[in-house]
Amino acid sequence: MEILVKKGDLTESKCNVLVVGMFLNEKKSVGVLSDVDAKLGGLLAKHMKQDKFKAKPGAIYLSRTFGRMSAVRVLVVGLGKRDEFNLEVARNSAASVLNSVKSLKVKRVVIEPFGLAQGLDGHDLAQALTEGLLLADYEFAQYKKAEGKAPNEIVVMTSDGRLARSFAHGIDDGKLTSQATAFARDLVNTPGQDMHPEVLVEKAKQIAKGASSVKIKVFDKEKLERMGAGGILGVGQGSEKPVFLVHMVYKPSKPTKKKICLVGKAVTFDSGGLSLKPADFMTTMKIDMAGAADVLGVFSVIAKLAPKMEVHGIFAPVENMPSGSAIRPGDVVRMMNKKTVEVLNTDAEGRLTLGDMLVYACKQKPDAVIDLATLTGACVVALGEEISGVMSNNDSLSEKVLASAKVAGEKMWPLPLEQSYKQLMKSDIADMKNLGNRWGGVLVAGLFLEEFVKKDVPWVHIDIAGPAYAERPINAYEKKGGTGHGVRTLINLLKTF
Ligand code: BES
Ligand code: ZN
Ligand code: ZN
């Protein structure tokens, strides 16, 4: 499916479906809608009224044009209330259009840049429309046939040449974010059998091979032993699969001192280890590498994105399995910063791998570290399935992340690093233990990570346990499965940092 912009008259365009937006509860149709209605002799408005069509966000009304227009059909998409229209409504409405034309199995669709009258920037609107269309079109078809048939091309049409140029840029940016998101979704959706540590390493190597601006270092078990990465090694020791630490570096063409580290949890399957998860909690645990999938998603487009700072991608792929060689509840590991941790629950494994990764990240002397992790069920209890939790030692950095998330249409919410809860991690025999008591599990996990971040390094932790994977359709462009939640926020951040 190709999305492109063309200069032209919408009402004259030849296509299978002409898509026009409509706001809710407006007495008279305006703009393109009223032009189309005029061509159809007022029948469109009349029929919509008779059928009691309400232009709620994403609602669809499909009509034939009976030879009165060059378009075979007109598809009216609801945009909700005019004063509530924003980029997220645009994204969702575009997605709803795609879902609907997919079932029509047509070739060419022409779409009005709906909502433009609301004063949105042309570039941003076109990007949101493109994201809605492409993300809705995503299907994971590695193990069964794809179901829908998307149109060959979707043309965003405007008669204004200057707008057409900013649309073209917006469409390109939307393609980039969608491609990166789809990359992450594929990794998350792939079962643990086919997405084990070696595969994640291979994915990173392929990205580096395809982009001269990206270099990669891979540390194996022996090297990790020398580095003292007891957390990563401890979590991985029960699996037959090897463990790694992957460090990707993107350098911009113009040398710069600015450096940002993106760190992702990369547990390719989380059985819980010897603190085995109940069966029902384990069924989706192939998604426990979603943080790393986000980082790889960003790196899959980073050469094209061409941010102006150095970007480091760091993740440690491991599999958390129970076995005769697995780490035991009560074992003590020594982390990369020499702190000892009593592992009282082997299912709280993410923080052990991340602790080492954060120590390693801080050694790069970065201006910012951002980690993404499907870290705690407690975060899902606190914020639900759609919102990730944001914890930080630096208000200005976390505000930047939250602002980027808002523009990207990804829901994130700040949570406190409540220092008094640190005492909950006191251990009888080690510097700390890897869990607290029953309460505030998401915060305790964040506080645990903070122990491995250098005080003067601005750091944001994003717990994506809820939104990384949709157990039910969330909206028109996030269906059941991996969502790639986080990718678009990171890309926005890299653009504006
Ligand atoms: N990977 C899980 C967290 C998770 C839960 C991600 C649900 C996505 C959906 C993590 O490793 C884990 O098991 N955490 C435990 C921590 C507890 C033992 C302190 C949890 O949240 O129950
Ligand atoms: Zn776990
Ligand atoms: Zn986990």
Side-chain angles (χ1 to χ4, degrees), residues 471-494:
E471 300 213 25
R472 57 178 172 85
I474 299 295
N475 53 40
Y477 62 87
E478 284 180 329
K479 300 174 190 161
K480 222 176 154 194
T483 59
H485 171 98
V487 169
R488 285 180 288 134
T489 298
L490 290 179
I491 290 180
N492 263 335
L493 188 75
L494 293 182

Side-chain angles (χ1 to χ4, degrees), residues 265 270 277 285 287-288 345 347-351 374-378 435 465:
K265 174 170 171 181
D270 181 11
K277 283 182 184 293
M285 278 304 132
I287 70 150
D288 217 16
N345 191 319
D347 196 14
E349 84 298 339
R351 62 197 76 183
T374 45
L375 203 60
T376 66
L435 69 170

